[in-house]
Amino acid sequence: MASIVIAEDDRDIAELLKTVLSNAGHAVRTAPDGAAALDLIVHDSPDLVILDHHMPGMSGLEVADRLRAEASTHDIPVIMLSAATPAAARQLCDVTISKPVRPKHLLEAATELLEAREAHPGTAAQLADVPRLLAVSDFLTRPAQAAGLDAFAQQLAVLTGVPTAAITLMLNDSAVVAGSYGLPKWVREAGGVPAEWSPDAIVVAEDVPVLIGDSRVSDEYADTPLFAVSGVRSYASVPLHSPEGHVVGTLCVMDEAPGTCTEETVQILHSQRSAALGLLSPVGPAPADA
């Protein structure tokens, strides 16, 4: 059972959503506006928040912005409901759902977010670690050459025999693509993906490699957007460390075919970490791999 707060000014819709989620076993409280929702959230520390966007006084977007600005509420998963979702909502909310809301769709989204939170309860806090983020920022502000990183990613694809490769830098809420080869156009144009979309969030938060032979038989990753939307079946990723030892990003490869990524793939990725860091920080020497 999870604790959920719903902010919705339409009483009938609020009661419908409460009934759907309560029938699924969750403890649900509702608020008629943004200010009341903030009071409930601070008091209850819920596992999930569901926000209507257009509410009197304070919009759902303003509530989400305040939640992300406070350390005590920063990591609470947020779903936004709106007939016209504002662009900024995708930066502040984990999921956006168009109105009119289908109860089944809402329940599926809520279940996925709650299961992810339960499976990796410390991931968000570890990604938000300030010294780690400062180290990531240091790499982002260095004069690395995108063309060189893209060429390195192409070489990585050749070395591993896997058609798609990327060098990422992991912020608290997104995986930024520093260099890539074979990634879908929409990922390249966006510059990356939300952190929760990718196993790289686990790689960075837990400082461990991830190897997925076939996402369709993985209970943990099968429904995550990277696999469900992009059709990726095979995946391997290893952490990249700053000279001070902070995990700042990853080297990763992926394929739409199952079984392409193996233990040997992971070893090849490990062997290429120093070269990748040298390209990310051309103003100084790359640290030696552990």
Side-chain angles (χ1 to χ4, degrees), residues 106-162:
L106 177 67
L107 182 58
E108 289 173 347
T111 300
E112 182 175 330
L113 288 174
L114 290 167
E115 288 179 349
R117 183 178 175 88
E118 183 178 354
H120 303 288
T123 297
Q126 289 165 316
L127 292 181
D129 178 69
V130 172
R132 191 197 74 80
L133 288 174
L134 289 173
V136 175
S137 176
D138 190 32
F139 279 100
L140 287 171
T141 57
R142 291 176 181 180
Q145 297 297 316
L149 289 165
D150 288 345
F152 175 84
Q154 182 176 6
Q155 180 186 11
L156 196 62
V158 172
L159 285 172
T160 59
V162 183

Side-chain angles (χ1 to χ4, degrees), residues 95-289:
V95 174
T96 59
I97 297 177
S98 298
K99 284 188 169 183
V101 180
R102 292 189 306 160
K104 180 181 178 182
H105 187 188
L106 177 67
L107 182 58
E108 289 173 347
T111 300
E112 182 175 330
L113 288 174
L114 290 167
E115 288 179 349
R117 183 178 175 88
E118 183 178 354
H120 303 288
T123 297
Q126 289 165 316
L127 292 181
D129 178 69
V130 172
R132 191 197 74 80
L133 288 174
L134 289 173
V136 175
S137 176
D138 190 32
F139 279 100
L140 287 171
T141 57
R142 291 176 181 180
Q145 297 297 316
L149 289 165
D150 288 345
F152 175 84
Q154 182 176 6
Q155 180 186 11
L156 196 62
V158 172
L159 285 172
T160 59
V162 183
T164 301
I167 306 100
T168 75
L169 291 168
M170 183 66 68
L171 296 172
N172 64 309
D173 58 357
S174 60
V176 178
V177 177
S180 67
Y181 177 75
L183 281 179
K185 182 179 179 181
W186 65 269
V187 177
R188 288 185 281 109
E189 290 181 346
V193 297
E196 66 271 12
W197 280 36
S198 169
D200 282 359
I202 306 303
V203 175
V204 171
E206 300 183 10
D207 194 6
V208 294
V210 164
L211 173 62
I212 303 168
D214 187 353
S215 63
R216 293 187 185 175
V217 296
S218 169
D219 292 337
E220 189 170 7
Y221 298 112
D223 295 328
T224 57
L226 178 70
F227 300 108
V229 175
S230 298
V232 171
R233 297 281 295 276
S234 188
Y235 194 90
S237 182
V238 300
L240 292 175
H241 299 83
S242 72
E244 300 78 21
H246 299 293
V247 188
V248 294
T250 71
L251 285 185
C252 60
V253 292
M254 63 199 82
D255 193 356
E256 293 182 0
T260 310
C261 295
T262 65
E263 291 288 350
E264 182 180 359
T265 309
V266 173
Q267 293 306 313
I268 294 171
L269 293 177
H270 276 304
S271 74
Q272 297 300 307
R273 291 186 299 166
S274 288
L277 285 164
L279 289 170
L280 283 168
S281 53
V283 294
D289 287 340

